[in-house]
Amino acid sequence: MSGNTFGKSFTVTTFGESHGLALGAIVDGCPPGIELSEADLQADLDRRKPGTSRYTTQRREPDQVKILSGVFEGKTTGTPIGLLVENTDQRSKDYSNIAETFRPAHADYAYNHKYGFRDYRGGGRSSARETAMRVAAGAIAKKVLAQKGIQIRGYLSQLGPIKIEQFDWQEVHNNPFFCPDVSKVAEMEDYMTALRKEGNSVGAKISVVASGLFPGLGEPIFDRLDADLAHALMSINAVKGVEIGDGFEVVEQKGTEHRDEMTPDGFLSNHAGGVLGGISTGQDIIAHIALKPTSSMVIPGRSIDTHGNEIEVVTKGRHDPCVGIRATPIAEAMMAIVLADHWLRHRGQNADVHCSTPVIPAQATAGE
Amino acid sequence: MSGNTFGKSFTVTTFGESHGLALGAIVDGCPPGIELSEADLQADLDRRKPGTSRYTTQRREPDQVKILSGVFEGKTTGTPIGLLVENTDQRSKDYSNIAETFRPAHADYAYNHKYGFRDYRGGGRSSARETAMRVAAGAIAKKVLAQKGIQIRGYLSQLGPIKIEQFDWQEVHNNPFFCPDVSKVAEMEDYMTALRKEGNSVGAKISVVASGLFPGLGEPIFDRLDADLAHALMSINAVKGVEIGDGFEVVEQKGTEHRDEMTPDGFLSNHAGGVLGGISTGQDIIAHIALKPTSSMVIPGRSIDTHGNEIEVVTKGRHDPCVGIRATPIAEAMMAIVLADHWLRHRGQNADVHCSTPVIPAQATAGE
Amino acid sequence: MSGNTFGKSFTVTTFGESHGLALGAIVDGCPPGIELSEADLQADLDRRKPGTSRYTTQRREPDQVKILSGVFEGKTTGTPIGLLVENTDQRSKDYSNIAETFRPAHADYAYNHKYGFRDYRGGGRSSARETAMRVAAGAIAKKVLAQKGIQIRGYLSQLGPIKIEQFDWQEVHNNPFFCPDVSKVAEMEDYMTALRKEGNSVGAKISVVASGLFPGLGEPIFDRLDADLAHALMSINAVKGVEIGDGFEVVEQKGTEHRDEMTPDGFLSNHAGGVLGGISTGQDIIAHIALKPTSSMVIPGRSIDTHGNEIEVVTKGRHDPCVGIRATPIAEAMMAIVLADHWLRHRGQNADVHCSTPVIPAQATAGE
Amino acid sequence: MSGNTFGKSFTVTTFGESHGLALGAIVDGCPPGIELSEADLQADLDRRKPGTSRYTTQRREPDQVKILSGVFEGKTTGTPIGLLVENTDQRSKDYSNIAETFRPAHADYAYNHKYGFRDYRGGGRSSARETAMRVAAGAIAKKVLAQKGIQIRGYLSQLGPIKIEQFDWQEVHNNPFFCPDVSKVAEMEDYMTALRKEGNSVGAKISVVASGLFPGLGEPIFDRLDADLAHALMSINAVKGVEIGDGFEVVEQKGTEHRDEMTPDGFLSNHAGGVLGGISTGQDIIAHIALKPTSSMVIPGRSIDTHGNEIEVVTKGRHDPCVGIRATPIAEAMMAIVLADHWLRHRGQNADVHCSTPVIPAQATAGE
């Protein structure tokens, strides 16, 4: 029970259903004195917002965030920050037909058994709409990290069968896919257009990178930095896999190939993805996630109704054919929340530590 | 700080260094009245124990566990269960040469920067020896789950380049690799023998399966069952990736391929790995993890010492050339702890729930 | 940090400042299927509401609560319940004169040192206005407990020097003091009128009683029922003391006097206040709290300003001369939250327990 | 469930029954680099140890503590500290006669209903013997606080009807009662001798003081310093009341009497007990607790057995006629744990805060 809070020192608690009155969050533990305005949050919310291109859901939500507390005269006060986004484009009638049916690959059936019934409008609490509040909270976390020189950035690394080959951080902002490889954008557009015609959906892979780290962040044993990242990233709707650094490639690697050797001039590689023993090495922290194809689609599927009868389901309404496309800011937000939380935890315990060993430079991120 | 506790209702807190006096754990929240003896725990500890085949470290630890509290007249009392394993084969001198050096791909460098210094003997707290206590605690979690008819089993699905092709749960117990494919065992033996001669190490992939589930286990939003599993499994030493169900294969899947259709007679597939919206569907819960090659090896590597000078490191001592081999019981233990924790949480909130929808049968596990 | 959440299974997280845009709370972990409407919450909010008699602050806040999520078709869904109360009567100008002064016995000085600055309007986060959200959340907790037959009621047991002597639960609702002794009401009115003329304030004692309990609620060791109650009640603004059962009277009691003997027909007394070893006995749980006189008053006091200069402070604005008067519903709310939390925790661990010992009747509450 | 952990940043988890093999604790979150030895812990354990005077139980336990992890080369490493105290003087046969009876005012009846059965030997988990581990953990917390110049001291302020009148911290160590008033010691000795002859028991009041504080420690809203102290102190066996500063005296105080005025030269009084709005003012933090008379006594009492039959109970065995006598080091330990926890939490969030207001001196402690 009560699984709607993330973090120990910098905590985020969210509420809200897809078609309820509003979504909200409480960010608790933010240090005082940080300049913060609604515009800081809105920038990231706008990146996640639906309806901005024809490759995402056509639901139109302004996702206008209000800061209700915790900020005074433009600065955080150290007290909890209340956030609110009102739902405006709810069209609940779109969903009335699914009140008594379970859509295959949706949370419908599991929710019904857990709670005895469910708010079926747009998936209720299981809707990805909930991630708007994560993005808002993540924007606050990014400001906490910026004070320490840590930056979080993400990108789309694969859209269905299309993998990126070139890399330019600047390009990420220039297309609706968050794709860093300009040479693949046209291919992605064509793919998505065909997919939409087909009425089908597809998966995607997103990568997130934290740079500007120092060695020593993270806690043994269960709250390792990579374990908390895995928790945070796997909690995003539709995610089915999480990798740190080389991820599943390590299965076939030998030790001599995998180990990141060190010299006084810096690390010679970053297979570990910036984390060893659960603690940051000072190199970039790199994570990859796999997002499944959305299960809402117009191609009929076999299912059952709430009485157990066999039915055929067609999901109308307005849906993302590739939920991965809008997931980049969400993944950034979750990584930011994890790192801000660990930064505050770390400082509490280790503020007095002096290490005589020099810090060696990080190896440049693979993508850069 | 204080990252050595896992779970919310069924909690496991561990302590202990590789070469300290003892390892220990406190399991808090175990329901009363469950029959429990040291033999129940020892069985799983023996499966993880080092020195049982020539493919693992030759350190010889009996790993004899003592139950110090929480059990009375053969049954759990509902109060915390104290567990202790004394270290007997410590040979700390093997490690004196690494007191002032950092081994590449070890936690040494990160720990030193975090804490200012470190217990360098055998990796101290960062040693995989700590996982003995997880296995002991996991054995208790398995007993909690057994009361509800839930069973946890794991196996080696890939050793370096060698993937399993056939599957028989019975075979898992018949070889030192936890390999369910008897036709691959000889190949694995030859591979490991060559690897040891070469002085190198290699990665592995482990799979864990929970069966006997019911629909409705898990909590939105941050404590989804898959998110907590990702947390638990990524917290195991050397793990760099976690997948639920089809994992990274979903990136290239289309919605029609991925979705697990339902009929009154049962699910038609289990691509989701038994979890939708973070909540169990009643199908088998399937997770896969990637373990990196151990970084302790006799092939020299470039590194620095604690003063920042360039050095060459050779790790002598007794090490596992493939840490994945002994990881199967550890992965089982972590999945068991997550599910036991969620079962108790679920029961607290939802004990009164009655769902009128019939439970449909799970599809058989792919491996079976 | 992040101290704005209470509870483990039934959790309440609040935000909001006295003169910010709104107050809010997230109640997480409420079981599904409980009938709940805004009217259920409003009833208790109206009991705490300022401006209802001339013995409380003249600030006029409708304290109209909105449920933003977690309720569908009149029933709780099991997902987090978002609550919002907008601030309407803010008159921030009343407080501009205290921006650079510290009021003696207020949190001003401590907040400034903790956070470097503070939202000085009406005390900001330290204002008792925050307790409105506790009352709203407590009303939900009361509904959870009502399902189990547990009822929470409070009353004023002492106002400054005036102690109650007679007891009638019905009278509690018939006067603005929550006083169960009708014979003392006129005396209290006179006392408060004189106090207001004097420009002074006074303390009070509030008592809270839970009835309908069963034996076995509560957790050893740190989360004893009485320890969690002490935590919850001492967290209410102005509370300086908490007693369970006979409280400080036990210091002079002998064992033969204090012990509550048992017979098959029931307990013979309830000195323990319904809790032994931190666990409920099935008798009424009785707690008393001491509330200090409010420090906001028009009689000048010596203090310093934010630069450390000596000043004289007079607190204008609208204040309660006895904050204890409005504290009864707050104390009820906190006790309800603790018991609801423990009830869900208890059920998670002990749902299977069968005890062969018969439950003996509770002794009637002293007051009844 | 799982209520055996206290603290958020500096956490203490304990296990162990009165007559089990051992008691133990894990202290997690202790900063690295603090000098720590078993002797540091033993000093406080010896102060709590039974059998040291004829006014306490005659059970003889050496309470020899072992540090099993988390300390390397004489310093804390930042990893969890495992503590163990073996039980040696168990004489379980003394308790066999109470296996099927419930002692009035004991936890027996409540435990049986909670768990279905209980470890009846010496009270099992409900025994005050568990507090030995709190004292050991508290000794570590004291070392953390000493680094910041904070000191924790306690004393007996009342034994049954005998109240202290004079105060000298030095005297506290010179008598078996922790009594700061040398003129009352003989009276206490006579009282206790008579009480023992009578076969009865009596209550006591203990006071604890933290000095060397700074303004700004503590968290709104639920984790106020005083709320966490109330939680910690009420969790000690036999405690029925907690006061901060003037405690229940505030009920009859007027605002002008209670408020602690400030001048540039310091506070003029300390009625608040060093906490305002849940946050430290820099003055001494003062708490008082009421301990009930122990319920184990040889004077027969009415009760029931596990089948519900009427019986008469006489508690033989070795018991403290006044559990308050040995409670001083326990109360100190709990206050130390709360303050160490808050100090680390505070530093995590507020390490960057600069406050331009000067810190004014604290008023001397009332007792000094």
Side-chain angles (χ1 to χ4, degrees):
Chain A
M1 59 202 68
S2 70
N4 295 279
T5 296
F6 191 85
K8 293 197 174 173
S9 289
F10 181 93
T11 63
V12 178
T13 307
T14 74
F15 71 82
E17 280 83 41
S18 174
H19 287 62
L21 293 174
L23 305 169
I26 302 177
V27 175
D28 197 7
C30 183
I34 299 177
E35 291 188 8
L36 188 74
S37 70
E38 288 165 355
D40 291 320
L41 281 59
Q42 199 60 50
D44 268 356
L45 276 168
D46 288 348
R47 292 169 69 216
R48 193 211 74 99
K49 199 168 65 174
T52 52
S53 84
R54 56 198 174 121
Y55 309 113
T56 62
T57 170
Q58 294 308 298
R59 177 172 175 171
R60 298 206 173 269
E61 283 286 0
D63 280 357
Q64 200 74 37
V65 70
K66 273 189 235 167
I67 296 177
L68 298 177
S69 69
V71 175
F72 183 60
E73 296 181 347
K75 287 186 181 170
T76 58
T77 58
T79 57
I81 303 170
L83 302 174
L84 199 77
V85 168
E86 288 177 54
N87 287 327
T88 58
D89 185 10
Q90 303 171 4
R91 292 203 215 168
S92 296
K93 61 183 181 298
D94 284 3
Y95 297 96
S96 54
N97 62 324
I98 58 164
E100 298 213 336
T101 67
F102 299 131
R103 295 162 295 174
H106 265 88
D108 300 343
Y109 174 78
Y111 263 66
N112 244 52
H113 276 285
K114 180 171 192 66
Y115 298 119
F117 76 121
R118 70 186 203 281
D119 177 351
Y120 50 78
R121 302 166 301 162
R125 184 68 177 150
S126 73
S127 164
R129 181 144 180 72
E130 169 270 337
T131 58
M133 297 323 298
R134 307 192 188 201
V135 171
I140 300 174
K142 284 179 180 177
K143 295 216 75 170
V144 172
L145 294 171
Q147 290 203 313
K148 184 70 188 164
I150 299 170
Q151 185 186 16
I152 312 286
R153 291 177 293 181
Y155 58 89
L156 175 86
S157 37
Q158 187 172 346
L159 174 70
I162 311 168
K163 296 179 190 177
I164 63 165
E165 287 167 4
Q166 298 169 10
F167 195 94
D168 183 348
W169 277 118
Q170 294 309 317
E171 292 300 331
V172 171
H173 314 292
N174 295 338
N175 62 77
F177 303 109
F178 299 93
C179 174
D181 181 352
V182 65
S183 74
K184 296 286 183 180
V185 172
E187 194 180 341
M188 288 180 181
E189 289 174 344
D190 293 347
Y191 185 87
M192 289 303 296
T193 302
L195 188 73
R196 183 176 285 281
K197 266 186 200 148
E198 186 187 330
N200 217 330
S201 62
V202 79
K205 185 176 172 182
I206 302 291
S207 303
V208 214
V209 179
S211 48
L213 267 289
F214 59 92
L217 192 66
E219 303 296 328
I221 291 292
F222 295 117
D223 295 356
R224 292 166 195 253
L225 205 50
D226 40 6
D228 275 0
L229 280 170
H231 186 158
L233 295 169
M234 191 70 93
S235 81
I236 298 172
N237 301 47
V239 172
K240 301 302 286 185
V242 177
E243 295 180 317
I244 305 295
D246 285 1
F248 278 87
E249 288 179 16
V250 304
V251 173
E252 303 200 11
Q253 288 174 350
K254 286 201 174 170
T256 41
E257 179 186 359
H258 178 76
R259 65 178 168 185
D260 301 311
E261 292 179 301
M262 293 181 276
T263 74
D265 301 325
F267 284 90
L268 298 179
S269 56
N270 187 9
H271 297 288
V275 185
L276 288 174
I279 298 177
S280 71
T281 61
Q283 297 221 73
D284 283 5
I285 296 177
I286 303 166
H288 309 285
I289 56 176
L291 291 109
K292 70 176 185 182
T294 183
S295 42
S296 299
M297 66 187 87
V298 295
I299 301 172
R302 299 177 66 179
S303 193
I304 60 168
D305 65 18
T306 55
H307 308 292
N309 301 314
E310 188 157 15
I311 55 164
E312 196 165 72
V313 175
V314 172
T315 310
K316 288 175 187 162
R318 301 153 297 170
H319 301 289
D320 284 293
C322 175
V323 289
I325 291 178
R326 286 166 55 208
T328 293
I330 306 167
E332 288 175 11
M334 292 312 297
M335 183 181 265
I337 290 167
V338 168
L339 292 183
D341 185 44
H342 270 281
W343 160 233
L344 300 180
R345 293 170 69 180
H346 173 81
R347 189 164 63 170
Q349 191 188 29
N350 302 309
D352 289 335
V353 166
H354 297 287
C355 180
S356 56
T357 300
V359 172
I360 64 170
Q363 193 249 11
T365 299
E368 289 182 290
Chain B
M1 61 204 62
S2 71
N4 295 279
T5 296
F6 191 86
K8 293 197 172 171
S9 289
F10 182 94
T11 64
V12 178
T13 307
T14 73
F15 71 82
E17 280 84 39
S18 174
H19 287 61
L21 292 175
L23 305 168
I26 301 177
V27 175
D28 197 6
C30 182
I34 299 177
E35 291 190 8
L36 188 73
S37 70
E38 288 166 353
D40 291 320
L41 282 61
Q42 200 61 48
D44 268 356
L45 278 167
D46 287 348
R47 293 169 68 215
R48 192 211 74 101
K49 198 169 64 174
T52 53
S53 83
R54 55 198 176 122
Y55 310 112
T56 61
T57 172
Q58 294 309 296
R59 177 171 175 171
R60 297 204 174 271
E61 284 285 1
D63 281 357
Q64 199 74 36
V65 70
K66 272 189 237 168
I67 296 177
L68 298 177
S69 68
V71 175
F72 183 61
E73 297 181 342
K75 287 187 180 169
T76 58
T77 58
T79 57
I81 302 170
L83 302 174
L84 199 78
V85 167
E86 289 178 51
N87 287 326
T88 58
D89 184 11
Q90 304 170 2
R91 292 203 216 169
S92 296
K93 60 182 180 301
D94 285 3
Y95 296 97
S96 55
N97 61 323
I98 57 163
E100 298 214 336
T101 67
F102 298 131
R103 294 162 295 174
H106 266 87
D108 301 343
Y109 173 79
Y111 263 65
N112 245 51
H113 276 285
K114 181 171 193 66
Y115 298 120
F117 78 121
R118 70 186 204 281
D119 177 351
Y120 50 79
R121 302 166 303 163
R125 184 68 177 151
S126 72
S127 165
R129 181 144 180 71
E130 169 269 337
T131 58
M133 297 323 299
R134 308 193 189 198
V135 171
I140 299 173
K142 285 180 181 177
K143 294 215 76 168
V144 172
L145 294 170
Q147 289 203 315
K148 184 69 187 169
I150 300 171
Q151 184 185 17
I152 313 285
R153 290 176 294 180
Y155 58 90
L156 176 86
S157 36
Q158 188 173 347
L159 175 71
I162 310 168
K163 296 180 191 176
I164 63 165
E165 288 169 2
Q166 296 169 12
F167 195 95
D168 182 347
W169 278 118
Q170 293 310 315
E171 292 300 330
V172 171
H173 313 293
N174 295 337
N175 62 77
F177 304 108
F178 299 93
C179 173
D181 181 351
V182 65
S183 74
K184 297 286 182 179
V185 172
E187 194 181 341
M188 288 179 180
E189 288 173 344
D190 293 347
Y191 185 88
M192 289 304 296
T193 302
L195 188 73
R196 182 174 285 281
K197 270 188 198 146
E198 185 187 331
N200 217 330
S201 63
V202 79
K205 184 175 171 182
I206 302 290
S207 303
V208 215
V209 179
S211 49
L213 268 290
F214 58 92
L217 193 65
E219 304 295 327
I221 290 292
F222 295 117
D223 295 356
R224 289 166 197 253
L225 205 51
D226 40 7
D228 275 1
L229 279 171
H231 185 159
L233 295 169
M234 192 69 94
S235 81
I236 299 172
N237 301 49
V239 172
K240 302 301 288 183
V242 177
E243 296 181 317
I244 303 295
D246 285 1
F248 279 87
E249 288 180 18
V250 303
V251 174
E252 304 199 13
Q253 288 174 352
K254 287 202 174 169
T256 41
E257 178 186 359
H258 179 77
R259 66 177 168 186
D260 300 312
E261 293 179 299
M262 290 181 278
T263 74
D265 301 326
F267 285 90
L268 299 178
S269 56
N270 188 8
H271 296 287
V275 185
L276 288 173
I279 297 178
S280 71
T281 61
Q283 297 221 72
D284 282 5
I285 296 177
I286 303 166
H288 309 285
I289 57 176
L291 291 109
K292 70 177 185 181
T294 183
S295 43
S296 300
M297 65 186 85
V298 294
I299 300 172
R302 299 178 67 178
S303 192
I304 60 168
D305 65 18
T306 55
H307 307 291
N309 302 313
E310 187 158 15
I311 56 165
E312 196 165 73
V313 174
V314 172
T315 310
K316 288 174 184 162
R318 301 153 298 169
H319 301 287
D320 284 291
C322 175
V323 288
I325 291 178
R326 287 165 55 207
T328 294
I330 306 167
E332 288 175 10
M334 292 312 297
M335 182 181 267
I337 291 166
V338 168
L339 293 184
D341 186 44
H342 270 281
W343 161 233
L344 300 180
R345 292 170 71 179
H346 173 81
R347 190 164 63 172
Q349 190 187 29
N350 302 309
D352 289 336
V353 167
H354 296 287
C355 179
S356 57
T357 301
V359 172
I360 63 170
Q363 193 249 12
T365 301
E368 289 182 290
Chain C
M1 60 203 65
S2 69
N4 296 280
T5 297
F6 191 86
K8 293 198 172 171
S9 289
F10 181 92
T11 65
V12 178
T13 308
T14 73
F15 71 82
E17 279 85 38
S18 174
H19 286 62
L21 292 175
L23 305 168
I26 303 177
V27 175
D28 198 7
C30 182
I34 298 176
E35 291 189 10
L36 189 73
S37 71
E38 288 165 354
D40 291 319
L41 282 59
Q42 199 61 49
D44 268 355
L45 278 167
D46 288 348
R47 294 170 66 216
R48 193 210 74 99
K49 200 168 64 173
T52 52
S53 83
R54 54 198 175 121
Y55 310 112
T56 61
T57 172
Q58 295 307 302
R59 178 172 175 170
R60 297 205 173 271
E61 283 286 2
D63 281 358
Q64 199 73 37
V65 69
K66 274 188 232 167
I67 296 177
L68 298 177
S69 68
V71 175
F72 183 61
E73 296 179 344
K75 287 188 180 168
T76 58
T77 58
T79 58
I81 302 170
L83 302 174
L84 199 76
V85 167
E86 289 178 54
N87 288 326
T88 58
D89 184 9
Q90 302 171 5
R91 293 205 215 166
S92 295
K93 58 183 181 303
D94 284 2
Y95 298 95
S96 55
N97 60 324
I98 57 163
E100 298 213 336
T101 66
F102 298 131
R103 294 162 295 174
H106 265 88
D108 300 345
Y109 174 78
Y111 264 66
N112 244 51
H113 276 285
K114 181 171 191 67
Y115 299 122
F117 76 121
R118 71 187 203 281
D119 178 350
Y120 50 78
R121 301 167 302 163
R125 184 66 175 152
S126 73
S127 165
R129 180 143 180 73
E130 169 270 338
T131 58
M133 298 322 298
R134 306 192 190 201
V135 171
I140 300 174
K142 285 179 181 176
K143 295 217 75 168
V144 172
L145 294 171
Q147 291 203 314
K148 185 68 188 167
I150 299 170
Q151 184 186 14
I152 313 285
R153 291 177 293 181
Y155 58 90
L156 176 85
S157 35
Q158 187 174 346
L159 174 71
I162 310 167
K163 295 180 193 177
I164 63 165
E165 288 167 4
Q166 296 169 11
F167 195 95
D168 182 348
W169 276 117
Q170 294 310 317
E171 291 300 330
V172 172
H173 313 293
N174 294 339
N175 62 78
F177 305 107
F178 299 94
C179 173
D181 181 353
V182 65
S183 73
K184 297 284 182 181
V185 171
E187 193 180 343
M188 289 181 181
E189 288 172 344
D190 293 345
Y191 185 88
M192 290 302 298
T193 302
L195 188 73
R196 182 177 285 282
K197 268 185 200 149
E198 183 187 334
N200 217 328
S201 62
V202 79
K205 183 173 171 185
I206 302 291
S207 303
V208 215
V209 179
S211 49
L213 268 290
F214 58 93
L217 192 66
E219 304 294 328
I221 292 294
F222 296 117
D223 294 357
R224 291 167 195 252
L225 207 49
D226 39 7
D228 276 1
L229 280 170
H231 185 157
L233 295 170
M234 191 70 93
S235 81
I236 298 173
N237 302 48
V239 173
K240 301 303 286 183
V242 178
E243 295 181 316
I244 305 294
D246 285 358
F248 278 87
E249 288 180 17
V250 302
V251 174
E252 302 199 13
Q253 288 174 350
K254 287 203 175 168
T256 41
E257 178 187 358
H258 178 77
R259 66 179 167 185
D260 300 313
E261 292 179 299
M262 293 181 277
T263 74
D265 300 325
F267 284 90
L268 298 179
S269 56
N270 188 9
H271 297 286
V275 185
L276 288 174
I279 297 178
S280 71
T281 61
Q283 297 221 72
D284 282 5
I285 296 177
I286 303 167
H288 309 285
I289 56 175
L291 291 109
K292 68 175 187 183
T294 183
S295 42
S296 300
M297 65 187 86
V298 294
I299 300 172
R302 299 179 66 180
S303 192
I304 60 169
D305 66 16
T306 56
H307 308 292
N309 302 313
E310 188 158 14
I311 57 166
E312 196 166 73
V313 174
V314 172
T315 309
K316 289 174 185 162
R318 302 154 296 170
H319 301 290
D320 284 293
C322 174
V323 289
I325 291 178
R326 286 165 56 209
T328 294
I330 305 167
E332 287 175 11
M334 292 312 297
M335 183 181 265
I337 290 167
V338 168
L339 293 185
D341 186 43
H342 270 280
W343 160 234
L344 301 180
R345 293 169 71 181
H346 173 83
R347 189 164 64 171
Q349 191 189 29
N350 302 311
D352 289 336
V353 167
H354 296 288
C355 179
S356 55
T357 300
V359 171
I360 64 170
Q363 193 250 9
T365 300
E368 288 181 292
Chain D
M1 60 205 65
S2 70
N4 296 279
T5 297
F6 191 86
K8 292 197 174 173
S9 288
F10 181 93
T11 63
V12 177
T13 307
T14 73
F15 71 81
E17 278 84 39
S18 174
H19 287 62
L21 292 174
L23 305 167
I26 302 177
V27 175
D28 198 6
C30 182
I34 298 177
E35 291 189 10
L36 188 73
S37 70
E38 287 165 356
D40 292 320
L41 282 61
Q42 199 61 49
D44 268 355
L45 277 168
D46 287 349
R47 293 170 68 217
R48 192 211 74 101
K49 199 168 66 174
T52 53
S53 83
R54 55 198 174 120
Y55 310 112
T56 61
T57 170
Q58 295 308 301
R59 177 172 175 171
R60 298 207 173 270
E61 283 286 1
D63 280 358
Q64 199 74 38
V65 69
K66 275 189 232 166
I67 296 178
L68 298 176
S69 68
V71 175
F72 183 58
E73 297 180 345
K75 289 186 180 169
T76 58
T77 58
T79 57
I81 302 170
L83 303 174
L84 198 77
V85 167
E86 289 179 53
N87 288 327
T88 59
D89 184 9
Q90 303 169 5
R91 292 205 215 166
S92 297
K93 59 183 179 303
D94 285 2
Y95 298 96
S96 54
N97 61 323
I98 56 164
E100 298 214 336
T101 67
F102 298 131
R103 293 163 296 174
H106 266 87
D108 300 344
Y109 174 78
Y111 264 65
N112 244 51
H113 276 286
K114 181 172 190 66
Y115 298 121
F117 76 121
R118 70 187 204 280
D119 177 351
Y120 50 79
R121 302 166 303 163
R125 183 67 177 152
S126 73
S127 165
R129 182 146 179 70
E130 171 269 337
T131 57
M133 298 322 300
R134 307 192 189 200
V135 171
I140 300 174
K142 285 180 181 177
K143 295 217 76 169
V144 172
L145 294 171
Q147 290 203 314
K148 185 68 187 166
I150 299 170
Q151 185 186 15
I152 313 286
R153 289 176 293 181
Y155 59 89
L156 176 86
S157 34
Q158 186 173 348
L159 175 70
I162 311 167
K163 295 180 192 177
I164 63 165
E165 288 167 6
Q166 297 170 11
F167 195 95
D168 183 347
W169 276 117
Q170 294 310 317
E171 291 300 331
V172 172
H173 312 294
N174 295 338
N175 62 77
F177 304 108
F178 299 93
C179 173
D181 181 352
V182 66
S183 73
K184 297 285 184 182
V185 171
E187 194 181 342
M188 289 180 180
E189 288 172 346
D190 292 347
Y191 186 87
M192 289 303 296
T193 302
L195 188 73
R196 183 177 286 282
K197 268 186 202 148
E198 183 187 333
N200 217 330
S201 62
V202 79
K205 184 174 172 185
I206 301 290
S207 303
V208 216
V209 179
S211 49
L213 268 290
F214 58 93
L217 191 65
E219 305 294 329
I221 292 293
F222 297 116
D223 294 357
R224 292 165 195 254
L225 206 49
D226 39 7
D228 275 1
L229 279 171
H231 185 158
L233 294 170
M234 192 69 93
S235 80
I236 299 173
N237 302 48
V239 173
K240 301 303 287 185
V242 178
E243 296 181 316
I244 304 295
D246 284 359
F248 277 87
E249 289 178 16
V250 302
V251 173
E252 302 199 14
Q253 289 175 349
K254 287 203 173 169
T256 41
E257 177 186 0
H258 178 78
R259 65 178 169 184
D260 300 311
E261 293 179 301
M262 293 181 277
T263 74
D265 300 325
F267 285 89
L268 298 179
S269 55
N270 188 9
H271 297 287
V275 185
L276 287 174
I279 297 178
S280 71
T281 60
Q283 298 222 72
D284 282 6
I285 296 176
I286 302 167
H288 310 285
I289 56 176
L291 292 108
K292 70 175 185 184
T294 182
S295 42
S296 300
M297 66 187 85
V298 293
I299 299 173
R302 298 178 67 180
S303 192
I304 59 167
D305 66 16
T306 55
H307 308 291
N309 302 313
E310 188 157 14
I311 56 166
E312 195 165 77
V313 174
V314 173
T315 310
K316 288 174 186 163
R318 300 153 299 170
H319 301 289
D320 284 291
C322 174
V323 289
I325 292 179
R326 287 164 57 206
T328 294
I330 306 168
E332 288 175 12
M334 292 313 297
M335 183 181 266
I337 290 167
V338 169
L339 293 183
D341 186 43
H342 270 281
W343 160 234
L344 301 179
R345 293 170 70 181
H346 173 81
R347 188 163 67 171
Q349 190 187 29
N350 301 311
D352 289 335
V353 166
H354 296 288
C355 179
S356 56
T357 300
V359 172
I360 64 169
Q363 194 251 10
T365 301
E368 288 182 294

